[in-house]
Every structure is written in C-alpha cells, then in structure tokens.
Amino acid sequence: MSSTRLDLEYLVGILRRRGLISPRQEKLIYKKAPVQQEKLAHICRVKRGGFPAPSCDAEITPVDVLASMELEPGKGADGRLDEEAIMRAVAAELGMGFKKIDPLELDLELVTQTIPKSFALKHTVLPVESSLETITVVVYDPFNRQVLEDIERVTHKRVEALISTKSDIIKTISEFYGFKSSIAAADHQMSRPLVDLGNLEQFTRLQSADEISSSDQHITNAVDHLFAYGFDQRASDVHIEPKRDQTIVRLRIDGLLHTIYRIPKSVHPAILSRIKGLARLDLAEKRRPQDGRIKVERSGNEAEIRVSTVPVAFGEKAVLRILNPDILLQDLEGLGFSSADLIKYRRLLEVPNGIVLITGPTGSGKTTTLYSSLRFLVSERNNITTIEDPIEMVHEQFNQIAVKPKLNLTFANILRHVLRQDPDIIMIGEMRDLETASNAVQSALTGHLVLSTLHTNDAPSAITRLIDLGVQPFLISSTLTGVVAQRLVRKICPHCEEAYQMRVADLAPLPLGKNPESEVELKMGKGCLQCRNTGYLGRTSIFEVLPMSEKLGKLTNRKAPLAELQEVASEEGMLTLQQSAVDKMLRGVTTFEEVIRVTMGER
C-alpha cells in the first residue's frame, strides 16, 4: 500500500471498477486532464472562482482535476462526480470509513492542540475524536502512513484514520486554527490572572498598560470569524454568554441551539466591545440593555445583524440575530402557502384598503410573512411606510420608522404623523394597545391598506382579541379584511429522507378523514451529516387563512363567542393550522412527530 498514490491512473481505475464512469468517460478524462490541470492552476493564480476547485492554499491534485470535470456518475447515482463522491469511492475501495466533517461536532481544543497548524496543512490531516487510548483523524491521503505514525508518537495513542475531502479538511483547519489563534493571542495579551466575577460579584483592579483593545487585530479576526461561521451554518442567532470562568458561544440552527465554542473569560469584554462598536452602541454602558444593528457583506450579498446586549450575572450577554434578505424577503409562493390559501392571501393584499393581520407566537415567522408581503406590494405607484420596534431589515423601497418610547415615538403617535405622509400601505409591527388599534382602524377607514401582527393562537381569535382591546365590533367588521395565523415546522432532510407506511388508526389525533384500517405513506429523515443527524433541514410555514366574510362580520357585530367564529370559518373553507400541517405531512414535507409537536392543542 505504501507505494500506491492517489494519482490519476489509480483514481480512474477505482471509478471504473465501481461503475462510476464509462469507457467513453475514461478516455475523456485522460484527454482533458492536462488542460483541466492548467485551468485550475490559472484560477488559483488570479484568485477567482469558476470551477468547483479546491482551496488555492493547497496543491492541486488529481482528485481536484477529476472533480472539476463535473462528470455524471454511472449506476444511476445522483448529482455530479464531485470531490466527495470520488473520496467516498476511494474509502470504499480501501475498506476505510469516510467522514463528512461537521464543524459543530468538533472540539476546538482537540482540533487545535493535538497537532500544529503547519503540520495539519502540510499533510492535510485533522484530529476529530479522542478517547483514553485512541485518537481518530481524518486524512486526505490514506497512503501516507508516516503521518499517522508521527501523530501516534506525539499523542501516545493508537490512531484510527478516516478519509475525508481536502476542501473540508483545509476549510476546517483555517476556521478552527484561525479562531483559536486569535482568541489565544488576545488571551495572552491580557497577561494576568482572571479575577473578574461579573456584575454581581464586584472586583476592582487598576487598569494595566497592556489592556486589550476592542480594535486589536486578534479580536477583530475572532469577531469576523463568528459572523462568517454563523452565515455558513445557516444560523438565525448567535449567543455569546458569559459564565463564571469562561464564555460560551452558541448558534441557533433550525430552531435549536448548538454550543460551538468555549472561550476564555478574559477576552469576553473585548469581544463585546468590538461587537458594540460595530453596532454603534455605548461602549461605556454595561448596566443597561442596548440594541443596535450591523450591516455586513457576505459573498457579494448584503445582510444585517441585529445586536441585543443585556447585563447578566457574569457580565454582558449578547445575541446577534442574523437577518438574511433571502429569508426575510421571499416570494409569496416560497413561504409555504397551499395553492388555495395563496390565492386567498393574494386577494387580501390586493384590496386597496382594510386591515390584514398576521398572528402567531414569537418565532412563528410573522416578520418574514410581513416583509415578503410588502415586497409583493412594492411598486412605483405605492408609498409604503412601516412602523417597527425595532426595524428588522432595512429596505430602501420602504419608508421605515423605528419606535422610540423615550422620545415619545410610540406606535400610536407615529401612526398619527404617518397619515400626513400620504401613505398607500402602512405596516405596523404589532398592535399592542387600544390606541394603536384604533388608529389602525381609522387608517383603514380613510382608504389605506394596513398590515400588522397580533399574538393569538389562531385566526378567528384575532377578532376576539381586537374586541378585548376595546375596538368597537362594527369597526372591526367594516375594516378587517382577513387574518392569517401561522407556525413554523421543520422540513424533512432531502439527503436522508425515506418513506414508510403507517396505519391511519395510529394517526388518530390528526384529521385525516380516511378509513382507520387503511395505511398512508409518510416520510422521515434517517439522520445524516447534512442535517446533523436530526432528520430535518430548514423550516417552512403552515398557515390558517381567514378572509372576513359577511357572515363573520355579523357574528363580530354581536360579539359571538370564539367557538362560533371558528365553526363558521371552517364551514366557509378555512383550513386550520393542524389541517395545513397534515397536508404537508402527507406530501412528505414534514413528519408526523413534527406535526404533533407544533400543532398539539390546535384545532
């Protein structure tokens, strides 16, 4: 094995034996290889993309050349013959395991302290797991036994090797060693014992001359890495939480939090100062909550990060809400509406005046629906004004106003002034009180389309909620054009989905309307590296669309109970949240367990 190399002839032989390339493709590979090698070298020289090439920090290999040809694999395999497919074939040929690197599963200390960065880059090797007797590493070249022997000598542990892709290994080395070196350098710069116990246990010391600055290059690099890492991992939030002896960094991905880093407490103030400086917050104010925002550019696209800081027991905690325009500003078709509900909702938005309410608890996707609706309504003929607390995403086609209670800029006060600004469409972040609701009603009565949110469990409840706020029923029936309730459900991972049969009787809590003895085909995710073994990847919305009808208007005028409103809404064709979720379950979008989790207690 020691004489074998990952050269082109060896790789082509593996792909041919495993039926991944045809004889015609084999001839094409040998013909195109020299030209493709030069193309990849040229791309790296001018530092631009254009091919699925590896990082230009490493030597171009025959695997890179093969992957850049984008061949279609044989045996009915999906996709292209990319780097991962080639290395999986090599692993199978050698009887070795293949590992797709998941950065969230790796231990920062293990990766960065086991071997030096220069050694890891030179040999394209990375430690991923460790026990008392063994250490597991991923390698790109499985024939380099000398590297594994060197790691055994250094760690005094038996080495188990898995194969991975060069691009994943190099990317992980760059991210982990880069972040670790920045944090370690900043920590070393403090050069003193950690004694700070946070706000609740006060300790005073004299400032030293080498006090680390938030503009220090190491801190700047570490914060930039956190931002980039959050985008790469599709995180909606980054939590930076100070504890007694360390600071924990967590990412929220598809609604769940994952701990990714534990960093020294000594660098926490500098990291917070850097973030607060970027967000234009008061660096000296550490006793009160603050809110700000940062505009960032990522791969040529702009995005915003909303920053919130609050004082907790051991310092200031920061939460960075990543606001991706691709998520907040979608086409209505991409939000998750059924065909019938999408038609109903479009009709609500096309009415020139009235109130359209989006309801649901915090984190149910209301803001995304509102912004996507405004995007649908944008035109040169419309003047769109929003009143928000805070402004979620700055968009140049909207006139956006932030609520500032300290300056007496409340929803109600701003709304009165907005009516003098000749608006066509007004978006109010939330109807919190009678004054705001009354002004919204007056805006609708004077010919404006008003979009807003309420915190209610379902669509019919919005009517009773407005009555509870003190709005006159006859005003509700004459201005409210429709209500949309929504929730978010996780989508089945397309990379590991599988079908299975389930008896209708076992789905009894759900309204299927089928023979209990029959079976239905459902789907679930087995769990894979792409979804981090959760079986879910991404989220979509379920909706309950309630247009205001004449019959519902009459019930509203006489303050009919909620149950009666719900009954009439169903009679007029409204699909409930649970029915919408069931529809997505039967179409293989989400799972039975997710439907139960999200809609338990719903009609």
Side-chain angles (χ1 to χ4, degrees):
M1 180 182 290
S2 59
S3 60
T4 309
R5 294 185 300 121
L6 286 179
D7 56 22
L8 191 63
E9 184 177 356
Y10 177 77
L11 293 171
V12 169
I14 289 177
L15 298 178
R16 183 183 64 245
R17 288 192 294 275
R18 307 191 74 81
L20 293 174
I21 58 173
S22 65
R24 184 185 64 82
Q25 287 175 316
E26 182 178 354
K27 292 179 182 178
L28 181 66
I29 289 170
Y30 285 120
K31 182 179 179 180
K32 289 181 61 177
V35 177
Q36 207 68 14
Q37 172 87 21
E38 179 54 34
K39 281 185 178 180
L40 293 180
H42 177 70
I43 289 169
C44 287
R45 282 197 297 270
V46 299
K47 298 294 184 183
R48 60 177 172 83
F51 286 83
S55 167
C56 292
D57 295 333
E59 177 187 356
I60 297 172
T61 68
V63 176
D64 305 323
V65 174
L66 269 174
S68 69
M69 293 182 186
E70 297 187 321
L71 300 173
E72 293 186 4
K75 286 191 174 181
D78 297 327
R80 300 283 180 179
L81 201 59
D82 57 11
E83 183 188 13
E84 182 176 332
I86 295 169
M87 296 309 295
R88 283 185 183 275
V90 171
E93 180 81 5
L94 297 175
M96 297 177 64
F98 178 89
K99 183 173 180 63
K100 177 72 174 174
I101 299 175
D102 181 358
L104 296 188
E105 291 182 348
L106 301 183
D107 184 330
L108 179 68
E109 300 300 322
L110 169 66
V111 171
T112 56
Q113 292 187 359
T114 304
I115 56 177
K117 179 181 180 181
S118 57
F119 182 89
L121 274 177
K122 179 180 179 181
H123 301 289
T124 324
V125 60
L126 191 74
V128 291
E129 292 180 27
S130 180
S131 64
L132 289 176
E133 298 180 351
T134 64
I135 184 167
T136 303
V137 300
V138 290
V139 298
Y140 176 65
D141 183 358
F143 305 114
N144 191 347
R145 296 296 309 173
Q146 184 62 47
V147 173
L148 304 183
E149 292 171 4
D150 290 344
I151 295 175
E152 283 185 343
R153 280 196 296 271
V154 170
T155 61
H156 305 291
K157 293 181 180 182
R158 180 170 55 85
V159 173
E160 293 182 354
L162 301 172
I163 291 178
S164 190
T165 61
K166 181 177 70 172
S167 56
D168 278 356
I169 294 175
I170 290 176
K171 184 173 185 289
T172 306
I173 290 172
S174 175
E175 289 179 346
F176 274 61
Y177 282 91
F179 182 74
K180 177 65 178 178
S181 62
S182 296
I183 293 296
D187 187 37
H188 176 72
Q189 198 167 327
M190 300 297 285
S191 65
R192 61 175 179 279
L194 177 64
V195 200
D196 180 22
L197 296 179
N199 292 354
L200 298 188
E201 301 171 64
Q202 195 63 37
F203 180 85
T204 302
R205 64 171 177 80
L206 296 176
Q207 295 281 3
S208 59
D210 63 346
E211 181 72 58
I212 189 168
S213 167
S214 62
S215 61
D216 180 85
Q217 187 62 43
H218 304 305
I219 294 298
T220 301
N221 291 340
V223 171
D224 288 349
H225 171 81
L226 283 180
F227 290 169
Y229 200 60
F231 281 103
D232 287 344
Q233 299 299 322
R234 302 180 299 104
S236 61
D237 301 88
V238 180
H239 291 237
I240 303 173
E241 306 173 3
K243 306 300 179 184
R244 184 182 296 272
D245 301 316
Q246 62 183 351
T247 291
I248 296 175
V249 180
R250 300 196 288 173
L251 297 184
R252 186 178 295 281
I253 304 170
D254 291 340
L256 301 178
L257 283 169
H258 303 261
T259 299
I260 58 164
Y261 295 133
R262 299 176 186 274
I263 60 180
K265 182 70 178 296
S266 58
V267 301
H268 178 83
I271 287 178
L272 259 290
S273 293
R274 171 64 179 172
I275 292 171
K276 289 167 72 174
L278 291 172
R280 296 181 180 179
L281 302 181
D282 185 350
L283 301 185
E285 181 57 78
K286 302 180 187 298
R287 300 169 299 170
R288 296 176 181 171
Q290 296 189 71
D291 293 295
R293 59 195 327 111
I294 304 169
K295 192 86 167 180
V296 297
E297 182 179 346
R298 176 73 174 159
S299 303
N301 298 318
E302 288 189 350
E304 291 194 19
I305 298 175
R306 202 175 73 201
V307 179
S308 171
T309 66
V310 294
V312 294
F314 297 106
E316 278 187 288
K317 178 190 176 197
V319 173
L320 316 179
R321 168 66 55 87
I322 298 175
L323 301 167
N324 191 335
D326 294 336
I327 295 176
L328 273 182
L329 297 165
Q330 300 183 44
D331 292 331
L332 295 182
E333 292 81 1
L335 294 178
F337 285 102
S338 66
S339 300
D341 282 345
L342 180 60
I343 293 172
K344 291 179 184 177
Y345 187 57
R346 281 177 177 269
R347 286 175 181 166
L348 296 180
L349 296 180
E350 288 166 354
V351 175
N353 58 280
I355 299 174
V356 178
L357 294 177
I358 313 295
T359 74
T362 301
S364 59
K366 299 189 299 296
T367 300
T368 298
T369 301
L370 277 178
Y371 271 78
S372 300
S373 301
L374 292 179
R375 181 190 179 191
F376 171 76
L377 292 167
V378 162
S379 78
E380 292 183 355
R381 298 185 299 273
N382 285 336
N383 173 16
I384 298 177
T385 302
T386 73
I387 307 169
E388 305 173 63
D389 182 20
I391 295 173
E392 297 280 351
M393 169 70 69
V394 176
H395 195 282
E396 62 181 15
Q397 291 180 299
F398 312 150
N399 299 297
Q400 297 170 279
I401 305 171
V403 169
K404 296 178 181 178
K406 289 183 179 179
L407 302 178
N408 199 30
L409 290 176
T410 63
F411 280 113
N413 288 342
I414 295 173
L415 187 51
R416 283 198 296 270
H417 291 282
V418 163
L419 291 175
R420 300 173 193 146
Q421 291 285 314
D422 188 30
D424 296 293
I425 299 162
I426 303 170
M427 191 270 272
I428 305 171
E430 183 183 346
M431 286 195 189
R432 298 176 179 175
D433 50 45
L434 175 59
E435 188 178 8
T436 304
S438 297
N439 287 335
V441 167
Q442 291 302 317
S443 302
L445 287 172
T446 53
H448 304 93
L449 176 61
V450 180
L451 280 67
S452 189
T453 67
L454 270 180
H455 289 284
T456 63
N457 290 329
D458 58 20
S461 297
I463 297 173
T464 57
R465 173 66 176 148
L466 289 175
I467 293 174
D468 290 341
L469 282 176
V471 182
Q472 292 297 322
F474 74 92
L475 291 175
I476 298 173
S477 61
S478 59
T479 58
L480 185 63
T481 56
V483 184
V484 176
Q486 71 177 94
R487 299 286 190 280
L488 288 174
V489 294
R490 290 181 291 174
K491 295 192 293 185
I492 297 171
C493 174
H495 304 285
C496 62
E497 68 176 13
E498 62 178 9
Y500 68 100
Q501 299 292 322
M502 194 166 182
R503 291 175 61 244
V504 172
D506 296 330
L507 299 168
L510 302 180
L512 294 184
K514 297 178 182 288
N515 180 359
E517 298 306 317
S518 63
E519 290 189 340
V520 293
E521 182 178 281
L522 303 180
K523 289 186 178 180
M524 64 177 292
K526 293 184 297 185
C528 63
L529 288 170
Q530 278 80 4
C531 63
R532 299 184 176 85
N533 291 315
T534 63
Y536 299 98
L537 187 64
R539 291 187 290 178
T540 188
S541 296
I542 55 174
F543 291 99
E544 191 173 274
V545 182
L546 175 64
M548 194 68 169
S549 66
E550 184 179 349
K551 193 170 183 180
L552 284 170
K554 290 179 179 179
L555 292 177
T556 302
N557 287 338
R558 64 178 179 84
K559 296 185 179 180
L562 176 60
E564 196 170 344
L565 292 170
Q566 292 171 339
E567 182 180 350
V568 170
S570 295
E571 289 174 359
E572 294 184 345
M574 183 193 76
L575 285 181
T576 65
L577 288 167
Q578 193 171 74
Q579 289 169 333
S580 175
V582 167
D583 177 63
K584 281 187 165 52
M585 177 189 74
L586 295 176
R587 290 192 287 113
V589 176
T590 191
T591 63
F592 168 67
E593 292 77 14
E594 187 72 356
V595 171
I596 293 296
R597 181 184 73 85
V598 174
T599 67
M600 184 62 70
E602 305 289 349
R603 293 173 290 112

